[in-house]
């Protein structure tokens, strides 16, 4: 990253991944054409991101052609009109996507249910969809978090 002063700590980047509710998954299709798709996801807190998908479609075709991907999450984007800027925090993950198999399918679905429907019994919903849903796991190779320079400056000022 060019502006290293704006680099978030690994812990801050993980918190954004854990708390944000959506991101953009960027893939390449078999012709090398970029494809970005917004998705809901669940981060396991370590090195994997899970999401679900239909079993067929352009996203699946792209993954089958090339499992490498990038995933971007914006944790904060506060527009400051008088400063002609935004106070942002974001994370970009690079890695590869794999189809979950066996017990990992349930692990991914439970993580998604716990994130988006906490405290709601999920057994019936999972039973209803498990036969026609793909659970995908993004294995994280690298993660970079960045924040607006204005937020860096505010943090330094408040520390003094």
């Amino acid at each position: 990253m060019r502006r290293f002063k704006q680099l978030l700590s690994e812990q801050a980047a993980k918190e954004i991944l854990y708390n944000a509710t959506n991101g953009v998954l960027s893939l390449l299709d078999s012709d090398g054409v970029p494809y970005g798709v917004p998705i809901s996801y669940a981060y396991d807190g370590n090195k994997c991101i899970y999401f679900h998908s239909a079993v067929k479609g352009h996203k699946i075709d792209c993954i089958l052609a090339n499992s490498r991907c990038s995933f971007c999450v914006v944790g904060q984007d506060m527009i400051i009109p008088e400063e002609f800027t935004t106070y942002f925090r974001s994370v970009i993950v690079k890695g590869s996507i794999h189809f979950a198999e066996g017990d990992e399918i349930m692990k991914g679905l439970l993580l998604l249910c716990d994130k988006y429907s906490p405290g709601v019994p999920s057994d019936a919903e999972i039973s209803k969809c498990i036969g026609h849903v793909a659970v995908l796991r993004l294995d994280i190779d690298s993660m970079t978090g960045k924040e607006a320079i204005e937020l860096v400056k505010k943090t330094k000022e408040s520390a003094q």
Side-chain angles (χ1 to χ4, degrees), residues 1 8 11 15 23 30 38 80 94 100 111 119 143:
M1 190 171 85
L8 289 174
Q11 184 59 37
E15 286 174 20
S30 59
I80 311 297
K94 293 178 184 175
L111 279 170
M143 176 187 332

Side-chain angles (χ1 to χ4, degrees), residues 124-141:
E125 185 64 26
I126 290 174
S127 293
K128 191 168 61 174
C129 78
I130 200 155
H132 58 274
V133 67
V135 175
L136 303 165
R137 182 190 75 241
L138 191 167
D139 292 338
I140 299 171
D141 292 334

Side-chain angles (χ1 to χ4, degrees), residues 5-35:
K5 289 181 183 179
Q6 294 175 254
L7 182 67
L8 289 174
S9 69
E10 182 178 346
Q11 184 59 37
K14 285 182 174 187
E15 286 174 20
I16 290 171
L17 272 184
Y18 188 76
N19 292 317
T21 58
N22 62 74
V24 176
L25 178 65
S26 297
L27 306 164
L28 290 175
D29 70 15
S30 59
D31 295 325
V33 177
Y35 176 64

Side-chain angles (χ1 to χ4, degrees), residues 6 9 16 26 40 42 45 51 57 66 76 81 87 91 100-101 105 114 116 130 132 145 156:
Q6 294 175 254
S9 69
I16 290 171
S26 297
S40 300
F51 53 100
N66 184 350
Q76 175 182 321
Y87 289 7
V91 176
E101 296 177 352
I105 293 170
D114 289 346
Y116 294 100
I130 200 155
H132 58 274
K156 279 187 179 181

Side-chain angles (χ1 to χ4, degrees), residues 28-120:
L28 290 175
D29 70 15
S30 59
D31 295 325
V33 177
Y35 176 64
V37 60
I39 61 167
S40 300
Y41 70 94
Y43 175 52
D44 75 350
N46 191 21
K47 284 290 213 179
C48 297
I49 295 171
Y50 290 90
F51 53 100
H52 71 292
S53 173
V55 295
K56 293 182 180 180
H58 190 59
K59 177 174 49 189
I60 297 297
D61 292 344
C62 290
I63 292 166
L64 291 171
N66 184 350
S67 67
R68 302 291 301 149
C69 68
S70 176
F71 183 60
C72 178
V73 173
V74 178
Q76 175 182 321
D77 186 29
M78 185 171 42
I79 298 169
I80 311 297
E82 62 276 8
E83 295 181 28
F84 296 92
T85 194
T86 63
Y87 289 7
F88 69 90
R89 286 192 173 94
S90 63
V91 176
I92 296 177
V93 167
K94 293 178 184 175
S96 56
I97 299 177
H98 306 277
F99 290 85
E101 296 177 352
D103 292 342
E104 192 175 30
I105 293 170
M106 187 61 76
K107 175 185 175 179
L109 291 174
L110 288 171
L111 279 170
L112 288 160
C113 288
D114 289 346
K115 180 173 184 171
Y116 294 100
S117 300
V120 177

